């Protein structure tokens, strides 16, 4: 929310998910003057179903390993602005790496603004992410990789 507060309108933020921090996030959004630009979607049984409504996917985590939400966003053809945590760098298409940031609100805001200001960049990175998701994270490809590993064929 603090990073998004630095992004110029008319950009809007959708926060999917719910949990014990929801009330505090609601208060923070209001204190930052974002109440009209932020929508709390709450728990979604199928969060990937809403990715088609987005121009950009953002991940502001302090810690992650291999976030499924990033793979879902990639499969949906979205560019990703994210903190450089866990396996996120190795998951994304290499072209998207420039938009990984340290855990810093201003840096994440700059990455978001760069994507929001450049539709051609969004399209190019989204296509690269979609291709990588299909190649690396498709269920059949992953099962084949596991099978090769179990057979001892994996390098």
């Amino acid at each position: 929310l603090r990073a998004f507060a630095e992004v110029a309108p008319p950009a809007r933020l959708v926060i999917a998910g719910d949990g014990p921090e929801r009330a505090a996030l609601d208060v923070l959004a209001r204190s930052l003057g974002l109440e009209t630009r932020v929508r709390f979607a709450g728990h979604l049984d199928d969060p990937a179903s809403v990715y088609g409504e987005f121009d950009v996917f953002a991940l502001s985590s302090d810690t992650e390993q291999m976030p499924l939400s990033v793979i879902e966003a990639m499969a949906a053809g979205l560019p990703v602005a994210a903190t450089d945590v866990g396996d996120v760098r190795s998951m994304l298409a290499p072209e998207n790496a420039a938009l990984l940031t340290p855990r810093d609100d201003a840096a994440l805001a700059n990455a978001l603004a760069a994507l929001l200001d450049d539709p051609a960049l969004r399209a190019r990175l989204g296509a690269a992410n979609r291709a990588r998701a299909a190649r690396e994270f498709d269920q059949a490809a992953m099962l084949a990789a596991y099978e090769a590993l179990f057979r001892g064929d994996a390098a």
Side-chain angles (χ1 to χ4, degrees):
L1 286 167
R2 285 183 294 276
F4 183 72
E6 297 181 37
V7 175
R12 296 185 39 81
L13 176 66
V14 176
I15 298 178
D18 213 349
E21 295 299 315
R22 168 68 186 275
L25 292 174
D26 208 18
V27 169
L28 179 58
R30 282 194 307 277
S31 75
L32 294 169
L34 296 174
E35 56 274 356
T36 62
R37 295 179 54 210
V38 174
R39 177 171 64 100
F40 289 94
H43 171 78
L44 300 171
D45 288 332
D46 181 18
S49 67
V50 299
Y51 290 160
E53 300 173 26
F54 302 158
D55 293 322
V56 174
F57 180 83
L59 179 80
S60 61
S61 296
D62 290 345
T63 181
E64 288 284 349
Q65 192 52 54
M66 185 178 182
L68 181 59
S69 60
V70 170
I71 295 172
E72 291 170 339
M74 292 169 63
L78 291 173
V80 176
T83 49
D84 194 359
V85 294
D87 291 329
V88 173
R89 180 174 294 275
S90 65
M91 293 165 63
L92 293 172
E95 303 93 297
N96 202 144
L99 296 163
L100 293 177
T101 70
R103 289 172 283 185
D104 174 79
D105 295 337
L108 185 57
N110 289 336
L112 288 167
L115 286 170
L116 293 170
D117 291 342
D118 191 340
L121 177 63
R122 287 197 312 267
R124 189 169 66 252
L125 295 180
N129 281 337
R130 181 178 309 174
R132 183 166 178 98
R135 187 175 60 250
E136 302 290 331
F137 302 113
D138 173 78
Q139 183 176 351
M142 291 179 73
L143 290 174
Y146 278 118
E147 183 178 334
L149 176 67
F150 293 142
R151 280 196 320 262
D153 298 342

